[in-house]
Amino acid sequence: MNNKQFAEISKFLSYVLRHEPQAIGLTLDREGWADIDALISAAAQHGRRLNRELLDLVVCTSEKMRFAVSEDGASIRAVQGHSTDSVSISFEDNPPPPLLYHGTATRFLESIRAQGLLPGARQHVHLTENVQTAMSVGQRYGKPVVLTIAAGTMHNKGIKFYQAQNGVWLIPTVPVQFLSESSG
Ligand code: HQG
């Protein structure tokens, strides 16, 4: 598989496992799991040839570790990033480090200053422990800026934080008083 094929499969999996499973007639359970055989046959019916080896390769080599295979090897899911209402992963509250980071584009700042961080189409706002990662996430939408989140302070006030299997931190919203615009 070359890089282009890898990216295409990864995008397709993000689409059906995070956003639109119904587009190929796939069912996800509440924890986001899809039966792998069902996924392969639903994909085939929609002109997308997949097989178990390709799926395992994408799961294992995805730099962002977006997907996971269940312990029994029968199911696959996206570990975060969902927008579909059919999935509600039961994350556990996890104490965050004192500071977390969110990368965004400068053109969103005015709205963020007014509303805080909102999840947009997804179920959660995504935060990272790594400034560099935040910078590259922000770059996807324009001139990047990294916001610092006083995560420890928020957690001490009883606000819950969740961490996906791939280390991404998730939270429903970040009120503006916990945000600052320098990355230190
Ligand atoms: C912005 C990728 C205006 C927010 C990445 C972001 C990440 C606001 C955009 C993951 C706002 C939503 C998620 C407000 C937030 N007003 N704009 N009040 N509050 N925003 O793509 O965090 O490759 O849904 O700053 O690596 O950019 O998909 O979220 O710019 O981990 O695996 O609204 O997606 O991972 O955009 O990215 P997104 P995100 P994957």
Side-chain angles (χ1 to χ4, degrees):
M1 176 164 47
N2 62 34
N3 284 349
K4 188 165 168 261
Q5 286 167 320
F6 181 95
E8 269 175 22
I9 293 176
S10 182
K11 271 196 177 158
F12 173 76
L13 291 178
S14 287
Y15 178 63
V16 298
L17 296 177
R18 286 173 167 174
H19 306 302
E20 304 280 349
Q22 68 281 5
I24 60 163
L26 186 69
T27 305
L28 309 181
D29 73 13
R30 290 300 280 169
E31 296 295 324
W33 294 109
D35 182 82
I36 290 178
D37 293 335
L39 168 63
I40 291 171
S41 75
Q45 280 169 23
H46 288 78
R48 170 81 52 176
R49 283 218 252 134
L50 292 177
N51 58 47
R52 182 66 201 236
E53 288 70 33
L54 283 176
L55 285 182
D56 284 342
L57 200 61
V58 171
V59 171
C60 294
T61 57
S62 155
E63 218 175 291
K64 289 186 170 179
M65 296 183 291
R66 294 181 177 95
F67 312 106
V69 168
S70 59
E71 274 177 29
D72 66 4
S75 309
I76 185 170
R77 73 172 173 183
V79 300
Q80 39 71 223
H82 298 83
S83 66
T84 175
D85 287 341
S86 64
V87 173
S88 177
I89 296 182
S90 45
F91 293 111
E92 280 179 21
D93 180 26
N94 197 4
L99 300 178
L100 286 171
Y101 304 96
H102 176 89
T104 190
T106 51
R107 66 194 162 99
F108 297 145
L109 278 178
E110 197 180 327
S111 166
I112 291 171
R113 285 178 196 131
Q115 300 178 300
L117 287 175
L118 302 175
R122 302 189 202 245
Q123 295 177 353
H124 299 97
V125 172
H126 290 217
L127 307 175
T128 169
E129 294 174 19
N130 184 294
V131 176
Q132 210 43 55
T133 303
M135 190 59 90
S136 53
V137 169
Q139 238 148 22
R140 288 151 55 242
Y141 291 120
K143 186 167 176 247
V145 54
V146 173
L147 303 175
T148 301
I149 289 92
T153 307
M154 290 175 74
H155 195 255
N156 288 342
K157 288 183 186 292
I159 298 172
K160 290 186 175 151
F161 281 74
Y162 310 113
Q163 196 173 24
Q165 256 166 289
N166 62 356
V168 171
W169 286 89
L170 304 168
I171 186 165
T173 60
V174 180
V176 74
Q177 69 265 33
F178 301 112
L179 286 173
S180 58
E181 288 176 31
S182 70
S183 58

PDB file of all heavy atoms in Angstrom, residues 71-99:
ATOM      1  N   GLU A  71     -10.322  -6.435  21.680  1.00  0.00           N
ATOM      2  CA  GLU A  71      -9.455  -7.502  22.196  1.00  0.00           C
ATOM      3  C   GLU A  71      -9.703  -8.834  21.514  1.00  0.00           C
ATOM      4  O   GLU A  71      -8.782  -9.608  21.275  1.00  0.00           O
ATOM      5  CB  GLU A  71      -9.655  -7.660  23.700  1.00  0.00           C
ATOM      6  CG  GLU A  71      -8.774  -6.705  24.476  1.00  0.00           C
ATOM      7  CD  GLU A  71      -9.005  -6.785  25.965  1.00  0.00           C
ATOM      8  OE1 GLU A  71      -9.390  -7.866  26.455  1.00  0.00           O
ATOM      9  OE2 GLU A  71      -8.805  -5.745  26.630  1.00  0.00           O
ATOM     10  N   ASP A  72     -10.970  -9.108  21.173  1.00  0.00           N
ATOM     11  CA  ASP A  72     -11.267 -10.384  20.510  1.00  0.00           C
ATOM     12  C   ASP A  72     -10.988 -10.336  19.007  1.00  0.00           C
ATOM     13  O   ASP A  72     -11.185 -11.325  18.299  1.00  0.00           O
ATOM     14  CB  ASP A  72     -12.728 -10.811  20.773  1.00  0.00           C
ATOM     15  CG  ASP A  72     -13.744  -9.865  20.137  1.00  0.00           C
ATOM     16  OD1 ASP A  72     -13.335  -8.927  19.420  1.00  0.00           O
ATOM     17  OD2 ASP A  72     -14.947 -10.078  20.364  1.00  0.00           O
ATOM     18  N   GLY A  73     -10.559  -9.173  18.524  1.00  0.00           N
ATOM     19  CA  GLY A  73     -10.165  -9.059  17.115  1.00  0.00           C
ATOM     20  C   GLY A  73     -11.338  -8.946  16.148  1.00  0.00           C
ATOM     21  O   GLY A  73     -11.128  -8.862  14.939  1.00  0.00           O
ATOM     22  N   ALA A  74     -12.574  -8.907  16.648  1.00  0.00           N
ATOM     23  CA  ALA A  74     -13.735  -8.950  15.752  1.00  0.00           C
ATOM     24  C   ALA A  74     -14.242  -7.573  15.339  1.00  0.00           C
ATOM     25  O   ALA A  74     -14.968  -7.447  14.357  1.00  0.00           O
ATOM     26  CB  ALA A  74     -14.872  -9.723  16.436  1.00  0.00           C
ATOM     27  N   SER A  75     -13.875  -6.540  16.095  1.00  0.00           N
ATOM     28  CA  SER A  75     -14.476  -5.228  15.855  1.00  0.00           C
ATOM     29  C   SER A  75     -13.413  -4.142  15.738  1.00  0.00           C
ATOM     30  O   SER A  75     -12.290  -4.289  16.217  1.00  0.00           O
ATOM     31  CB  SER A  75     -15.420  -4.856  17.009  1.00  0.00           C
ATOM     32  OG  SER A  75     -16.320  -5.895  17.269  1.00  0.00           O
ATOM     33  N   ILE A  76     -13.835  -3.041  15.135  1.00  0.00           N
ATOM     34  CA  ILE A  76     -12.944  -1.878  14.971  1.00  0.00           C
ATOM     35  C   ILE A  76     -13.729  -0.629  15.350  1.00  0.00           C
ATOM     36  O   ILE A  76     -14.952  -0.576  15.177  1.00  0.00           O
ATOM     37  CB  ILE A  76     -12.436  -1.797  13.504  1.00  0.00           C
ATOM     38  CG1 ILE A  76     -11.415  -0.669  13.322  1.00  0.00           C
ATOM     39  CG2 ILE A  76     -13.582  -1.636  12.508  1.00  0.00           C
ATOM     40  CD1 ILE A  76     -10.711  -0.700  11.954  1.00  0.00           C
ATOM     41  N   ARG A  77     -13.019   0.379  15.917  1.00  0.00           N
ATOM     42  CA  ARG A  77     -13.683   1.655  16.161  1.00  0.00           C
ATOM     43  C   ARG A  77     -12.693   2.805  16.011  1.00  0.00           C
ATOM     44  O   ARG A  77     -11.473   2.607  16.074  1.00  0.00           O
ATOM     45  CB  ARG A  77     -14.307   1.694  17.562  1.00  0.00           C
ATOM     46  CG  ARG A  77     -13.307   1.821  18.695  1.00  0.00           C
ATOM     47  CD  ARG A  77     -14.040   2.045  20.015  1.00  0.00           C
ATOM     48  NE  ARG A  77     -13.141   2.018  21.157  1.00  0.00           N
ATOM     49  CZ  ARG A  77     -13.543   2.131  22.424  1.00  0.00           C
ATOM     50  NH1 ARG A  77     -14.843   2.246  22.707  1.00  0.00           N
ATOM     51  NH2 ARG A  77     -12.674   2.110  23.404  1.00  0.00           N
ATOM     52  N   ALA A  78     -13.250   4.008  15.846  1.00  0.00           N
ATOM     53  CA  ALA A  78     -12.449   5.224  15.968  1.00  0.00           C
ATOM     54  C   ALA A  78     -12.377   5.536  17.453  1.00  0.00           C
ATOM     55  O   ALA A  78     -13.387   5.413  18.153  1.00  0.00           O
ATOM     56  CB  ALA A  78     -13.113   6.365  15.209  1.00  0.00           C
ATOM     57  N   VAL A  79     -11.206   5.926  17.960  1.00  0.00           N
ATOM     58  CA  VAL A  79     -11.083   6.119  19.408  1.00  0.00           C
ATOM     59  C   VAL A  79     -11.535   7.505  19.852  1.00  0.00           C
ATOM     60  O   VAL A  79     -11.748   7.743  21.030  1.00  0.00           O
ATOM     61  CB  VAL A  79      -9.661   5.808  19.928  1.00  0.00           C
ATOM     62  CG1 VAL A  79      -9.280   4.379  19.632  1.00  0.00           C
ATOM     63  CG2 VAL A  79      -8.622   6.770  19.377  1.00  0.00           C
ATOM     64  N   GLN A  80     -11.664   8.437  18.911  1.00  0.00           N
ATOM     65  CA  GLN A  80     -12.193   9.776  19.227  1.00  0.00           C
ATOM     66  C   GLN A  80     -12.597  10.446  17.924  1.00  0.00           C
ATOM     67  O   GLN A  80     -12.427   9.890  16.848  1.00  0.00           O
ATOM     68  CB  GLN A  80     -11.213  10.645  20.022  1.00  0.00           C
ATOM     69  CG  GLN A  80      -9.758  10.556  19.661  1.00  0.00           C
ATOM     70  CD  GLN A  80      -9.349  11.177  18.342  1.00  0.00           C
ATOM     71  OE1 GLN A  80      -8.568  10.594  17.596  1.00  0.00           O
ATOM     72  NE2 GLN A  80      -9.863  12.352  18.021  1.00  0.00           N
ATOM     73  N   GLY A  81     -13.145  11.664  18.062  1.00  0.00           N
ATOM     74  CA  GLY A  81     -13.425  12.471  16.872  1.00  0.00           C
ATOM     75  C   GLY A  81     -14.814  12.294  16.298  1.00  0.00           C
ATOM     76  O   GLY A  81     -15.101  12.802  15.216  1.00  0.00           O
ATOM     77  N   HIS A  82     -15.708  11.589  17.026  1.00  0.00           N
ATOM     78  CA  HIS A  82     -17.031  11.293  16.470  1.00  0.00           C
ATOM     79  C   HIS A  82     -17.918  12.522  16.347  1.00  0.00           C
ATOM     80  O   HIS A  82     -17.874  13.423  17.180  1.00  0.00           O
ATOM     81  CB  HIS A  82     -17.763  10.278  17.363  1.00  0.00           C
ATOM     82  CG  HIS A  82     -17.053   8.961  17.464  1.00  0.00           C
ATOM     83  ND1 HIS A  82     -16.012   8.746  18.343  1.00  0.00           N
ATOM     84  CD2 HIS A  82     -17.208   7.809  16.786  1.00  0.00           C
ATOM     85  CE1 HIS A  82     -15.567   7.507  18.189  1.00  0.00           C
ATOM     86  NE2 HIS A  82     -16.271   6.921  17.250  1.00  0.00           N
ATOM     87  N   SER A  83     -18.769  12.499  15.322  1.00  0.00           N
ATOM     88  CA  SER A  83     -19.884  13.449  15.271  1.00  0.00           C
ATOM     89  C   SER A  83     -21.218  12.707  15.289  1.00  0.00           C
ATOM     90  O   SER A  83     -22.236  13.299  15.625  1.00  0.00           O
ATOM     91  CB  SER A  83     -19.784  14.339  14.031  1.00  0.00           C
ATOM     92  OG  SER A  83     -19.945  13.568  12.858  1.00  0.00           O
ATOM     93  N   THR A  84     -21.231  11.421  14.921  1.00  0.00           N
ATOM     94  CA  THR A  84     -22.506  10.701  14.868  1.00  0.00           C
ATOM     95  C   THR A  84     -23.127  10.541  16.265  1.00  0.00           C
ATOM     96  O   THR A  84     -22.434  10.190  17.227  1.00  0.00           O
ATOM     97  CB  THR A  84     -22.362   9.310  14.209  1.00  0.00           C
ATOM     98  OG1 THR A  84     -23.622   8.629  14.306  1.00  0.00           O
ATOM     99  CG2 THR A  84     -21.308   8.446  14.867  1.00  0.00           C
ATOM    100  N   ASP A  85     -24.448  10.784  16.332  1.00  0.00           N
ATOM    101  CA  ASP A  85     -25.172  10.638  17.603  1.00  0.00           C
ATOM    102  C   ASP A  85     -25.294   9.187  18.037  1.00  0.00           C
ATOM    103  O   ASP A  85     -25.643   8.916  19.179  1.00  0.00           O
ATOM    104  CB  ASP A  85     -26.607  11.179  17.460  1.00  0.00           C
ATOM    105  CG  ASP A  85     -26.604  12.683  17.390  1.00  0.00           C
ATOM    106  OD1 ASP A  85     -25.601  13.280  17.808  1.00  0.00           O
ATOM    107  OD2 ASP A  85     -27.614  13.239  16.912  1.00  0.00           O
ATOM    108  N   SER A  86     -25.074   8.258  17.119  1.00  0.00           N
ATOM    109  CA  SER A  86     -25.285   6.854  17.469  1.00  0.00           C
ATOM    110  C   SER A  86     -24.197   6.341  18.415  1.00  0.00           C
ATOM    111  O   SER A  86     -24.341   5.286  19.017  1.00  0.00           O
ATOM    112  CB  SER A  86     -25.356   5.978  16.210  1.00  0.00           C
ATOM    113  OG  SER A  86     -24.126   5.999  15.537  1.00  0.00           O
ATOM    114  N   VAL A  87     -23.112   7.101  18.545  1.00  0.00           N
ATOM    115  CA  VAL A  87     -21.999   6.670  19.406  1.00  0.00           C
ATOM    116  C   VAL A  87     -21.888   7.589  20.616  1.00  0.00           C
ATOM    117  O   VAL A  87     -21.989   8.806  20.497  1.00  0.00           O
ATOM    118  CB  VAL A  87     -20.667   6.690  18.612  1.00  0.00           C
ATOM    119  CG1 VAL A  87     -19.481   6.422  19.527  1.00  0.00           C
ATOM    120  CG2 VAL A  87     -20.714   5.670  17.489  1.00  0.00           C
ATOM    121  N   SER A  88     -21.706   6.973  21.786  1.00  0.00           N
ATOM    122  CA  SER A  88     -21.433   7.744  22.990  1.00  0.00           C
ATOM    123  C   SER A  88     -20.470   6.913  23.829  1.00  0.00           C
ATOM    124  O   SER A  88     -20.880   6.110  24.663  1.00  0.00           O
ATOM    125  CB  SER A  88     -22.751   8.002  23.726  1.00  0.00           C
ATOM    126  OG  SER A  88     -22.501   8.677  24.911  1.00  0.00           O
ATOM    127  N   ILE A  89     -19.195   7.078  23.578  1.00  0.00           N
ATOM    128  CA  ILE A  89     -18.194   6.254  24.264  1.00  0.00           C
ATOM    129  C   ILE A  89     -18.194   6.613  25.747  1.00  0.00           C
ATOM    130  O   ILE A  89     -18.223   7.790  26.111  1.00  0.00           O
ATOM    131  CB  ILE A  89     -16.793   6.453  23.639  1.00  0.00           C
ATOM    132  CG1 ILE A  89     -16.798   5.969  22.182  1.00  0.00           C
ATOM    133  CG2 ILE A  89     -15.731   5.712  24.452  1.00  0.00           C
ATOM    134  CD1 ILE A  89     -15.460   6.057  21.475  1.00  0.00           C
ATOM    135  N   SER A  90     -18.181   5.589  26.610  1.00  0.00           N
ATOM    136  CA  SER A  90     -18.242   5.846  28.055  1.00  0.00           C
ATOM    137  C   SER A  90     -16.831   6.104  28.593  1.00  0.00           C
ATOM    138  O   SER A  90     -16.213   5.225  29.175  1.00  0.00           O
ATOM    139  CB  SER A  90     -18.907   4.674  28.778  1.00  0.00           C
ATOM    140  OG  SER A  90     -18.389   3.457  28.309  1.00  0.00           O
ATOM    141  N   PHE A  91     -16.345   7.318  28.353  1.00  0.00           N
ATOM    142  CA  PHE A  91     -15.025   7.712  28.843  1.00  0.00           C
ATOM    143  C   PHE A  91     -15.090   7.901  30.348  1.00  0.00           C
ATOM    144  O   PHE A  91     -16.115   8.306  30.887  1.00  0.00           O
ATOM    145  CB  PHE A  91     -14.595   9.037  28.216  1.00  0.00           C
ATOM    146  CG  PHE A  91     -14.345   8.978  26.740  1.00  0.00           C
ATOM    147  CD1 PHE A  91     -15.196   9.611  25.853  1.00  0.00           C
ATOM    148  CD2 PHE A  91     -13.252   8.297  26.234  1.00  0.00           C
ATOM    149  CE1 PHE A  91     -14.967   9.578  24.492  1.00  0.00           C
ATOM    150  CE2 PHE A  91     -13.013   8.253  24.870  1.00  0.00           C
ATOM    151  CZ  PHE A  91     -13.872   8.895  24.003  1.00  0.00           C
ATOM    152  N   GLU A  92     -13.955   7.649  31.013  1.00  0.00           N
ATOM    153  CA  GLU A  92     -13.896   7.913  32.456  1.00  0.00           C
ATOM    154  C   GLU A  92     -13.184   9.221  32.727  1.00  0.00           C
ATOM    155  O   GLU A  92     -12.229   9.570  32.031  1.00  0.00           O
ATOM    156  CB  GLU A  92     -13.152   6.775  33.151  1.00  0.00           C
ATOM    157  CG  GLU A  92     -14.057   5.584  33.346  1.00  0.00           C
ATOM    158  CD  GLU A  92     -13.344   4.429  34.003  1.00  0.00           C
ATOM    159  OE1 GLU A  92     -12.309   4.648  34.661  1.00  0.00           O
ATOM    160  OE2 GLU A  92     -13.835   3.310  33.822  1.00  0.00           O
ATOM    161  N   ASP A  93     -13.659   9.908  33.759  1.00  0.00           N
ATOM    162  CA  ASP A  93     -13.009  11.155  34.172  1.00  0.00           C
ATOM    163  C   ASP A  93     -11.551  10.854  34.515  1.00  0.00           C
ATOM    164  O   ASP A  93     -11.259   9.874  35.200  1.00  0.00           O
ATOM    165  CB  ASP A  93     -13.743  11.720  35.401  1.00  0.00           C
ATOM    166  CG  ASP A  93     -13.128  13.023  35.883  1.00  0.00           C
ATOM    167  OD1 ASP A  93     -12.517  13.729  35.068  1.00  0.00           O
ATOM    168  OD2 ASP A  93     -13.264  13.323  37.082  1.00  0.00           O
ATOM    169  N   ASN A  94     -10.655  11.686  34.017  1.00  0.00           N
ATOM    170  CA  ASN A  94      -9.227  11.444  34.192  1.00  0.00           C
ATOM    171  C   ASN A  94      -8.565  12.776  34.533  1.00  0.00           C
ATOM    172  O   ASN A  94      -8.759  13.740  33.806  1.00  0.00           O
ATOM    173  CB  ASN A  94      -8.687  10.899  32.855  1.00  0.00           C
ATOM    174  CG  ASN A  94      -7.353  10.235  33.013  1.00  0.00           C
ATOM    175  OD1 ASN A  94      -6.851  10.101  34.128  1.00  0.00           O
ATOM    176  ND2 ASN A  94      -6.767   9.827  31.907  1.00  0.00           N
ATOM    177  N   PRO A  95      -7.832  12.873  35.642  1.00  0.00           N
ATOM    178  CA  PRO A  95      -7.218  14.163  35.971  1.00  0.00           C
ATOM    179  C   PRO A  95      -6.209  14.577  34.893  1.00  0.00           C
ATOM    180  O   PRO A  95      -5.311  13.795  34.569  1.00  0.00           O
ATOM    181  CB  PRO A  95      -6.486  13.899  37.299  1.00  0.00           C
ATOM    182  CG  PRO A  95      -6.929  12.573  37.759  1.00  0.00           C
ATOM    183  CD  PRO A  95      -7.507  11.816  36.608  1.00  0.00           C
ATOM    184  N   PRO A  96      -6.361  15.766  34.344  1.00  0.00           N
ATOM    185  CA  PRO A  96      -5.445  16.210  33.282  1.00  0.00           C
ATOM    186  C   PRO A  96      -4.181  16.810  33.876  1.00  0.00           C
ATOM    187  O   PRO A  96      -4.145  17.133  35.066  1.00  0.00           O
ATOM    188  CB  PRO A  96      -6.266  17.298  32.580  1.00  0.00           C
ATOM    189  CG  PRO A  96      -7.070  17.894  33.693  1.00  0.00           C
ATOM    190  CD  PRO A  96      -7.397  16.764  34.643  1.00  0.00           C
ATOM    191  N   PRO A  97      -3.146  17.014  33.052  1.00  0.00           N
ATOM    192  CA  PRO A  97      -1.994  17.799  33.516  1.00  0.00           C
ATOM    193  C   PRO A  97      -2.445  19.247  33.743  1.00  0.00           C
ATOM    194  O   PRO A  97      -3.519  19.631  33.286  1.00  0.00           O
ATOM    195  CB  PRO A  97      -0.999  17.695  32.353  1.00  0.00           C
ATOM    196  CG  PRO A  97      -1.800  17.314  31.165  1.00  0.00           C
ATOM    197  CD  PRO A  97      -3.007  16.584  31.660  1.00  0.00           C
ATOM    198  N   PRO A  98      -1.622  20.053  34.428  1.00  0.00           N
ATOM    199  CA  PRO A  98      -2.046  21.432  34.734  1.00  0.00           C
ATOM    200  C   PRO A  98      -2.445  22.232  33.498  1.00  0.00           C
ATOM    201  O   PRO A  98      -3.410  22.987  33.532  1.00  0.00           O
ATOM    202  CB  PRO A  98      -0.808  22.046  35.402  1.00  0.00           C
ATOM    203  CG  PRO A  98      -0.010  20.888  35.897  1.00  0.00           C
ATOM    204  CD  PRO A  98      -0.310  19.724  35.005  1.00  0.00           C
ATOM    205  N   LEU A  99      -1.703  22.049  32.410  1.00  0.00           N
ATOM    206  CA  LEU A  99      -1.986  22.807  31.192  1.00  0.00           C
ATOM    207  C   LEU A  99      -2.207  21.874  30.016  1.00  0.00           C
ATOM    208  O   LEU A  99      -1.503  20.865  29.872  1.00  0.00           O
ATOM    209  CB  LEU A  99      -0.819  23.740  30.850  1.00  0.00           C
ATOM    210  CG  LEU A  99      -0.447  24.798  31.884  1.00  0.00           C
ATOM    211  CD1 LEU A  99       0.761  25.600  31.405  1.00  0.00           C
ATOM    212  CD2 LEU A  99      -1.621  25.722  32.190  1.00  0.00           C
TER     213      LEU A  99
END
